[in-house]
């Protein structure tokens, strides 16, 4: 024990003395050596920071919460996008709520079938700073004629949308924080009265759903899953490891009917084959995280999470919100 304690003390003395800290839970912090701060400002809606740490590289921070880092942003964005696209099979029209880094749109536009991607993000300043400070994330999506961006409230925009229905709706939004601008995008009313009405007949809905680790799956992930389960005929929780978040991260994939249902049962070889046929230049630009074997792992949640999802009865509504504290 003494040797381990001495090692821990020595480890805490390494580095340049500047560190970035973030809470994973109320009792747990993640700490990374800080190399520099590239941007730090306040928009109308939130504090925006672009920092750089030794383990994770350039990192986008919104209101003191890591959104994505250079080291593992592909894990988040590939996981958010490709299972939903695979469930649909050949999406042409896509809506992204949030997605300010441009990386979600980047992954959408890799699909040969996609004809139109509409991204709606409330914070124009955040989007512009990401485009300027984190160009690797968007990889030129703003120059793609299939891509369009509007800077509005996603709920109001989608409610008023009278264009073609969307084959895939992706919610790449902030966690449900009290007084946060995106809390209503987790309510049952949004899923049933807005999202479902704007989806095509075989449309697929996917949302980021918060932390999904042993210590924090119960904070919002289980409730978001329960709400999705009560709003769609089928809701599948899945997750991926995001080191910069300090824990695994959860998502929910939902549909009433789709071309390729039951994603937890897909054969890895079939996933690889369909992905190769659907994604442009996949051999030259392979996925960093997502493939058939990885997909199978994503949809096989740990037992404690599966047990928790089965037992969860809370449903998020306007009258019964659940906030991340």
């Amino acid at each position: 024990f003494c040797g381990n304690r001495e090692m821990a003390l020595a480890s805490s003395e390494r580095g340049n003395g500047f560190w970035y800290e973030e809470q994973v839970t109320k009792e747990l912090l993640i700490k990374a050596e800080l190399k520099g701060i590239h941007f730090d400002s306040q928009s109308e809606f939130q504090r925006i920071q672009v920092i750089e740490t030794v383990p994770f590289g350039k990192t986008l921070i919104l209101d003191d919460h890591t959104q994505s880092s250079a080291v593992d942003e592909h894990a988040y964005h590939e996981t958010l996008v490709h299972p939903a696209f695979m469930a649909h099979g050949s999406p042409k029209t896509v809506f992204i709520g949030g997605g300010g880094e441009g990386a979600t749109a980047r992954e959408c536009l890799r699909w040969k079938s996609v004809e139109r991607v509409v991204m709606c993000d409330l914070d124009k300043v955040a989007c512009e700073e990401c485009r300027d400070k984190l160009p690797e994330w968007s990889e030129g999506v703003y120059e793609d004629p299939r891509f369009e961006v509007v800077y509005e409230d996603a709920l109001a925009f989608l409610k008023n949308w009278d264009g073609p229905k969307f084959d895939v709706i992706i919610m790449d939004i902030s966690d449900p924080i009290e007084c946060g601008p995106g809390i209503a995008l987790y309510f049952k009313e949004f899923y049933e009265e807005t999202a479902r009405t704007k989806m095509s007949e075989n449309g697929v809905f996917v949302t980021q759903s918060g932390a999904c680790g042993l210590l924090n799956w119960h904070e919002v992930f289980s409730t978001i899953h329960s709400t999705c389960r009560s709003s769609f005929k089928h809701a599948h929780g899945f997750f991926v490891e995001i080191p910069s978040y300090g824990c695994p991260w959860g998502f929910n994939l939902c549909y009433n009917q789709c071309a390729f249902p039951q994603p937890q049962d897909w054969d890895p070889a079939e996933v690889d084959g369909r992905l190769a046929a659907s994604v442009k230049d996949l051999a030259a630009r392979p996925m960093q995280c997502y493939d058939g074997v990885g997909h199978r792992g994503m949809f096989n949640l740990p037992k404690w999470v599966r047990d928790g999802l089965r037992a969860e009865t809370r449903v998020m509504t306007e009258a019964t919100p659940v906030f991340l504290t």
Side-chain angles (χ1 to χ4, degrees):
F1 175 83
C2 290
N4 289 339
R5 181 174 181 274
E6 290 168 1
M7 186 180 297
L9 289 173
S11 175
S12 69
E13 294 167 0
R14 297 189 190 124
N16 61 17
F18 296 96
W19 298 83
Y20 171 73
E21 291 185 351
E22 183 174 332
Q23 279 191 308
V24 179
T25 70
K26 289 182 179 180
E27 301 84 14
L28 178 65
L29 288 173
I30 184 172
K31 183 176 179 180
E33 185 178 350
L34 185 65
K35 291 181 69 176
I37 299 173
H38 298 285
F39 182 82
D40 188 350
S41 186
Q42 182 77 35
S43 75
E44 180 183 353
F45 305 103
Q46 57 199 337
R47 185 183 183 187
I48 307 163
Q49 296 170 288
V50 177
I51 69 171
E52 187 169 353
T53 70
V54 173
F56 300 121
K58 287 196 290 185
T59 303
L60 174 66
I61 312 288
L62 298 180
D63 283 339
D64 303 320
H65 293 284
T66 295
Q67 303 301 303
S68 59
S69 80
V71 164
D72 55 19
E73 62 90 358
H74 282 84
Y76 174 90
H77 293 107
E78 290 177 14
T79 302
L80 176 65
V81 171
H82 297 298
F85 275 38
M86 293 286 285
H88 184 277
S90 184
K92 294 182 178 180
T93 54
V94 183
F95 175 81
I96 302 170
E101 300 104 312
T104 297
R106 176 197 72 207
E107 294 301 318
C108 294
L109 292 166
R110 296 188 67 180
W111 277 64
K112 300 172 186 176
S113 62
V114 169
E115 298 175 355
R116 186 180 190 184
V117 174
V118 179
M119 186 180 95
C120 182
D121 195 293
L122 184 65
D123 196 335
K124 184 177 181 179
V125 173
C127 293
E128 291 178 341
E129 289 305 325
C130 288
R131 187 178 180 184
D132 179 55
K133 304 294 191 306
L134 305 170
E136 310 94 314
W137 271 246
S138 56
E139 287 187 3
V141 300
Y142 286 90
E143 288 71 51
D144 193 311
R146 298 173 293 167
F147 177 71
E148 54 195 273
V149 59
V150 291
Y151 302 107
E152 297 180 23
D153 174 78
L155 176 58
F157 179 85
L158 204 53
K159 276 185 176 181
N160 295 325
W161 176 258
D162 59 1
K165 292 194 173 184
F166 294 104
D167 294 325
V168 178
I169 291 180
I170 302 171
M171 302 312 297
D172 182 13
I173 53 178
S174 299
D175 293 328
I177 299 172
E178 188 170 10
C179 299
I183 182 65
L185 296 170
Y186 292 99
F187 291 161
K188 181 179 176 72
E189 291 89 346
F190 167 68
Y191 296 155
E192 293 186 344
E193 299 169 11
T194 302
R196 279 177 47 178
T197 65
K198 306 301 180 181
M199 292 164 59
S200 60
E201 183 178 5
N202 293 310
V204 177
F205 176 90
V206 64
T207 182
Q208 85 85 13
S209 301
C212 192
L214 173 61
L215 300 179
N216 48 20
W217 60 266
H218 58 280
E219 291 179 342
V220 292
F221 176 71
S222 61
T223 312
I224 294 171
H225 178 76
S226 177
T227 308
C228 289
R229 190 174 58 204
S230 74
S231 304
F232 296 88
K233 290 182 180 179
H234 303 278
H236 303 277
F238 60 111
F239 78 128
V240 73
E241 182 70 28
I242 309 287
S244 63
Y245 293 175
C247 64
W249 210 253
F251 307 83
N252 278 283
L253 188 156
C254 312
Y255 54 87
N256 289 330
Q257 63 182 49
C258 67
F260 297 92
Q262 304 304 321
Q264 74 279 6
D265 296 330
W266 294 349
D267 178 71
E270 178 191 348
V271 171
D272 289 336
R274 290 205 288 121
L275 201 64
S278 301
V279 175
K280 184 179 179 181
D281 299 329
L282 184 62
R285 295 176 56 221
M287 302 284 176
Q288 295 190 30
C289 174
Y290 185 74
D291 66 359
V293 173
H295 174 95
R296 178 64 63 88
M298 292 170 183
F299 282 83
N300 281 273
L301 294 164
K303 185 177 185 300
W304 60 75
V305 179
R306 287 183 276 121
D307 289 346
L309 295 186
R310 280 192 291 268
E312 181 63 79
T313 59
R314 293 175 296 173
V315 171
M316 291 182 66
T317 69
E318 294 177 5
T320 59
V322 175
F323 302 114
L324 179 66
T325 56

